[in-house]
Amino acid sequence: MFEAEGLDPLALFAAARLDPKCLADPNARYAADGISVLWELAVAQSGKPNLGLTRELAARFGNVDLVGYAMASSPTLLYGLQAMAKFMALVSDAATFSVDESDHGYLLSLGHVGNKRPVPRQRTEFGLLTLLMLCNWLTRRELKPLVAGFAFPLPQNLEPYRDVFQCELRFDQTTTFLLLKEENLTRALPSHNPTMLAMHEQVIADRLHDMGTQGIAEQVRRHLMARLKNGEPRREEIASLLHMTDRTLQRRLNAEQVCFKNLLDEVRVEAAQKYLADNRLSLAQVSDLLGFVDQSNFFRACKRWFGVPPGLYRSQMQDRSS
């Protein structure tokens, strides 16, 4: 995609200190921050604040690997998107994706984990546009989202966003998302094939097993981060997402000498630091995003994690950054 935008990919990879040879290995992974650096360099060198924000580029270069074949064989777009959420580890260790029913349809939410530096908005935009173009390709229709939401401030020029998303735009959101009508997700896909679906899902399961680069604890962390905003995830729920029984998940976590409760706590600490650094979020919103039933539990957890209540911890973070 960078090359199509007139850039030199090899020079960018060299500047970001990333080995381009890894692109030929489907099991290889780049560090999350390395990809952010790559985007930062590409935007700076191109001089294009909306680098990659075109439908043609997203449709041509967006890639979800084998997961795309399983999605194409699915009975409905909803099934395919839920499969994508389950198998996201095959696409990326740093991306999170969830499908949640809402009052107006379905929310398709994208996120990132494992980043110590801010994720460039261009990387987020391209990811969301890729998701929309993937939905169009699977349904063979031009879907019109109800809303496209972005977890970054209002940009100066909205025209590129209007051109590609063609729907209501919202910025300064807690997550990056598309809101689609239920009817768009529940219609039968023209490429549905039960036999091929079973085969692709088995191939994906085998690939994930063979990758060996991500232990079960990391997979659990990724699912926890994606689902915290829906309330405190239960171990049985995460086990189902990983296609295993609760007992199997517990046994595999024990083999890695970790427990589910501690993983949930670690994910919440990481997310709390991220959300509390964002002054646009109230403490009540942060509590909800971390999956706490009420704010008192959130306040007690912060005192345990940071030694102080959340409001004071936020003030300390601001003092350190000023």
Side-chain angles (χ1 to χ4, degrees), residues 100-169:
D100 302 291
E101 192 171 4
S102 76
D103 293 337
H104 304 289
Y106 281 87
L107 280 172
L108 315 182
S109 303
L110 288 176
H112 292 90
V113 294
N115 297 273
K116 295 181 180 179
R117 63 192 300 132
V119 177
R121 66 174 178 83
Q122 295 83 2
R123 179 181 176 188
T124 301
E125 295 165 359
F126 187 73
L128 195 66
L129 184 55
T130 294
L131 176 61
L132 176 58
M133 300 312 294
L134 176 62
C135 291
N136 286 348
W137 175 73
L138 290 169
T139 59
R140 307 298 192 268
R141 299 172 61 237
E142 284 289 325
L143 302 185
K144 300 291 186 182
L146 297 173
V147 181
F150 303 91
F152 52 79
L154 182 73
Q156 290 184 344
N157 184 8
L158 289 179
E159 202 59 36
Y161 299 90
R162 295 192 182 105
D163 287 343
V164 299
F165 290 103
Q166 301 174 7
C167 65
E168 178 186 343
L169 303 172

Side-chain angles (χ1 to χ4, degrees), residues 253-298:
L253 288 174
N254 288 340
E256 294 185 14
Q257 298 182 326
V258 294
C259 73
F260 184 84
K261 182 179 179 181
N262 288 346
L263 287 177
L264 176 59
D265 210 46
E266 291 171 7
V267 167
R268 275 178 160 161
V269 170
E270 179 183 342
Q273 291 172 322
K274 172 184 174 182
Y275 295 141
L276 288 172
D278 187 347
N279 289 323
R280 298 169 298 176
L281 299 175
S282 68
L283 296 183
Q285 288 175 309
V286 174
S287 177
D288 289 341
L289 288 169
L290 295 176
F292 285 102
V293 175
D294 57 63
Q295 287 191 57
S296 62
N297 292 338
F298 170 49

Side-chain angles (χ1 to χ4, degrees), residues 3-195:
E3 188 173 34
E5 287 279 47
L7 298 170
D8 182 349
L10 292 181
L12 286 172
F13 270 72
R17 298 183 179 181
L18 299 176
D19 184 359
K21 294 179 181 177
C22 292
L23 292 172
D25 181 359
N27 294 334
R29 292 291 185 269
Y30 292 112
D33 282 340
I35 299 299
S36 289
V37 169
L38 191 68
W39 272 94
E40 291 167 5
L41 292 169
V43 172
Q45 291 184 23
S46 70
K48 298 178 180 179
N50 296 107
L51 182 70
L53 194 62
T54 68
R55 287 189 159 214
E56 180 184 359
L57 292 177
R60 182 178 176 187
F61 297 110
N63 183 10
V64 290
D65 199 63
L66 286 172
V67 177
Y69 295 108
M71 296 177 76
S73 303
S74 298
T76 64
L77 180 59
L78 177 59
Y79 185 101
L81 291 168
Q82 289 171 336
M84 181 175 168
K86 293 177 183 177
F87 300 129
M88 198 63 189
L90 191 64
V91 180
S92 170
D93 294 342
T96 64
F97 175 65
S98 62
V99 183
D100 302 291
E101 192 171 4
S102 76
D103 293 337
H104 304 289
Y106 281 87
L107 280 172
L108 315 182
S109 303
L110 288 176
H112 292 90
V113 294
N115 297 273
K116 295 181 180 179
R117 63 192 300 132
V119 177
R121 66 174 178 83
Q122 295 83 2
R123 179 181 176 188
T124 301
E125 295 165 359
F126 187 73
L128 195 66
L129 184 55
T130 294
L131 176 61
L132 176 58
M133 300 312 294
L134 176 62
C135 291
N136 286 348
W137 175 73
L138 290 169
T139 59
R140 307 298 192 268
R141 299 172 61 237
E142 284 289 325
L143 302 185
K144 300 291 186 182
L146 297 173
V147 181
F150 303 91
F152 52 79
L154 182 73
Q156 290 184 344
N157 184 8
L158 289 179
E159 202 59 36
Y161 299 90
R162 295 192 182 105
D163 287 343
V164 299
F165 290 103
Q166 301 174 7
C167 65
E168 178 186 343
L169 303 172
R170 296 179 188 173
F171 296 89
D172 273 327
Q173 302 297 296
T174 56
T175 59
T176 295
F177 67 88
L178 291 175
L179 176 60
L180 294 180
K181 295 179 181 178
E182 180 179 1
E183 64 188 57
N184 289 329
L185 274 74
T186 53
R187 289 182 180 178
L189 292 183
S191 54
H192 173 46
N193 187 315
T195 303

Side-chain angles (χ1 to χ4, degrees), residues 233-251:
R234 296 179 295 107
R235 192 177 62 199
E236 296 86 350
E237 176 188 358
I238 302 301
S240 176
L241 292 171
L242 293 169
H243 304 287
M244 61 182 67
T245 65
D246 178 44
R247 180 175 296 182
T248 298
L249 175 58
Q250 185 174 5
R251 184 175 66 251

Side-chain angles (χ1 to χ4, degrees), residues 204-223:
I204 290 171
D206 292 342
R207 172 77 70 83
L208 288 171
H209 181 269
D210 293 341
M211 280 172 61
T213 58
Q214 185 183 56
I216 193 65
E218 288 304 313
Q219 296 180 54
V220 170
R221 281 192 183 95
R222 183 171 52 80
H223 283 294

